[in-house]
Amino acid sequence: MTPYDGDGALTLDKDNIQPGDPLTATGTGCDPGSPVRLSALGEDVGTATANDSGTFSTRVEFTMIQPGRHVVRADCGVVLVGSVDVALTSSTGGSSSTLVILVFFVLVGAILVRRQFAGLFTRRG
């Protein structure tokens, strides 16, 4: 199939997503009533059926999460194309810095408590 040059378009509701974020594709210009197969990187990512006016809307679900730009193709008698950027984020940096701060305050607290008790014992002796 060749890309559609007419009035059809594939629109994704987000430009950037992270794994697990919902993504919806909306297309126009399909053959009325035709099945729609959405794919990215050779994998099926969604299906729909075009309505009587040749439009469709469906959720896009990636089976493999790979960071970078993904080109989504909708085959529905014509080929419609859209793209989305997938970003992977890591939360390990935030938790390790939180752990360092927590350990710091525990150590400072222990030193203060020790000084407090040390002061009590030296005054009585």
Side-chain angles (χ1 to χ4, degrees), residues 26-88:
T26 303
T28 60
C30 296
D31 294 335
S34 66
V36 181
R37 178 182 165 265
L38 281 82
S39 61
L41 298 173
E43 300 279 331
D44 288 341
V45 294
T47 60
T49 301
N51 64 17
D52 292 339
S53 63
T55 64
F56 69 90
S57 182
T58 188
R59 183 178 171 136
V60 176
E61 297 182 13
F62 294 101
T63 55
M64 292 182 4
I65 303 299
Q66 295 180 5
R69 179 159 292 236
H70 292 264
V71 175
V72 178
R73 294 173 41 111
D75 296 323
C76 60
V78 295
V79 176
L80 307 172
V81 179
S83 64
V84 64
D85 290 318
V86 177
L88 296 178

